[in-house]
Amino acid sequence: LFYYDIEGKDKYKQAATWFKDCGDDYPDAKIYCTMSECLQNIDKFESKDQTANLAEAYGALWTELGKLQNSTADLNDDIKIEVWGEIVTLINTHPAEFSEVASASEINELLNSISDDLDDISSTFLENKIAALENDIKLTLTKINAAANN
């Protein structure tokens, strides 16, 4: 389910193509397909300066990020880190937009939940990835709090 070798928003578009037909068998695939739709809508609405539709698309994406976070419980630790990294990167890339569709406390709660879950992983093999993601979470929290104060 995880295709982190494809960069940026294109990975979600590609994922939607790959997983369109398997959503019934793999609920996580539906999440990625919906995320892809949200990102495509965001691209479309940004180019047409449709602010209301853009906010709605970010709101839908926020909902899917929460679902994605909740879907990680049964995954292997290395896959969890990859998925959590995707969530953090999306929020980090668009802090002002997410701050308009979710409160800073909601976003902080999601990011802190990921950070708490990282504390439960005790693999020396994954120490560098954990440290990098913890750093990304801290940077993202700073951006979210700054966006909320503006």
Side-chain angles (χ1 to χ4, degrees):
L1 288 177
F2 308 99
Y3 16 77
Y4 39 85
D5 56 333
I6 300 172
E7 295 298 320
K9 291 180 182 179
D10 288 339
K11 83 169 142 186
Y12 296 99
K13 192 182 301 183
Q14 190 67 35
T17 302
W18 291 341
F19 293 118
K20 185 177 181 183
D21 297 327
C22 68
D24 291 334
D25 296 327
Y26 301 99
D28 295 349
K30 282 186 178 181
I31 296 170
Y32 277 100
C33 289
T34 305
M35 288 173 63
S36 174
E37 290 172 17
C38 293
L39 290 167
Q40 289 175 41
N41 286 336
I42 288 168
D43 283 343
K44 178 174 61 175
F45 299 141
E46 280 178 339
S47 68
K48 295 181 180 179
D49 198 29
Q50 296 181 0
T51 308
N53 290 335
L54 190 59
E56 185 178 321
Y58 272 104
L61 182 57
W62 170 250
T63 299
E64 294 307 310
L65 291 179
K67 289 179 185 177
L68 187 60
Q69 162 61 6
N70 291 333
S71 75
T72 61
D74 296 328
L75 300 176
N76 294 331
D77 289 344
D78 56 337
I79 300 298
K80 286 180 184 179
I81 292 170
E82 294 296 334
V83 172
W84 294 333
E86 291 180 25
I87 293 169
V88 172
T89 298
L90 281 169
I91 296 170
N92 189 345
T93 307
H94 305 284
E97 292 85 346
F98 282 112
S99 292
E100 290 183 20
V101 298
S103 70
S105 64
E106 290 173 313
I107 299 169
N108 287 341
E109 183 179 324
L110 176 72
L111 294 171
N112 286 325
S113 172
I114 292 171
S115 184
D116 291 345
D117 290 342
L118 278 171
D119 291 341
D120 295 336
I121 298 174
S122 59
S123 168
T124 55
F125 175 73
L126 298 172
E127 282 179 355
N128 291 338
K129 286 184 176 185
I130 292 169
L133 186 52
E134 284 283 3
N135 187 56
D136 291 346
I137 290 170
K138 288 177 186 171
L139 293 172
T140 304
L141 286 167
T142 300
K143 284 184 176 183
I144 289 300
N145 292 325
N149 292 329
N150 287 334

